Amino acid sequence: MSLRGVAQHLGWGRHTVQRYARAARWQDMVKGRKPPRRTKLDPFKPYLEHRWTEERGQVTILDLHREITEHGWRGHYSLVRDWIRRALPAYEKAPPPSPTPSVRQVTGLLTRHPGTLPEDDKLLRKAVLAHCPELVTAADLVSSFGEMLTTLSGTDLPARINQAAAANLPGISSFATGLNSDYDAVTAGLTTHWNSGPVEGAVNRIKMLKRQMLGRAGFGLLRKRVLLS
């Protein structure tokens, strides 16, 4: 019988009958899958396995592709990626690095008193200062100026201005130099108990009322509410 006739008689596919017909012995048909075909990635597989095990999977596939390219690999990235994902073991990923603090966060860490910071913020402040030596000087200058504000020790102002100007830090040095333009007023604010806080509070309250009544009432009602509030 022909192979097609055998396939029709047994109800099998023609290719299945063809495989049986070509087999030299029955054991050839029960060995399972054929050995995988050799690919052009085979010479690089030992190196990939070694690097993957050495780094415990904490190396990117892109880096491995770049490394074997330097050793002569000319294939596509997707071939390397698919084989690594299929053949190499998966390792637990390292925890992601902590996010970089924003400028606003760092400003808050430097302008607040270190003794009032929570423990997490204290550790973050210490880490930030360790990574940026310029901020150590800035933090010292900010703390010294804050101390003058809280203790009303304005007699130290000239020394603080000279120290800040000599630090040559953008923002802080220009601010310290600018204090000389209104030196008497600044000294009075740092040595006396009088301040413009109540006046600023009243102005802020009037502005708040004005925004609330905008487009809702005329001047008469707004005036009455300001006087009665």
Side-chain angles (χ1 to χ4, degrees), residues 3 12 14-32 34:
L3 295 180
W12 290 2
R14 184 170 60 87
H15 294 292
T16 302
V17 174
Q18 190 177 47
R19 289 201 305 273
Y20 273 95
R22 290 178 177 177
R25 50 183 186 161
W26 66 268
Q27 289 88 345
D28 296 337
M29 301 302 299
V30 297
K31 284 185 177 180
K34 295 181 180 180

Side-chain angles (χ1 to χ4, degrees), residues 1 22 67 69 96 117 132 147 155 184 189 198:
M1 297 177 65
R22 290 178 177 177
E67 291 178 13
T69 300
L117 294 175
C132 186
E147 184 180 357
T155 54
D184 293 337

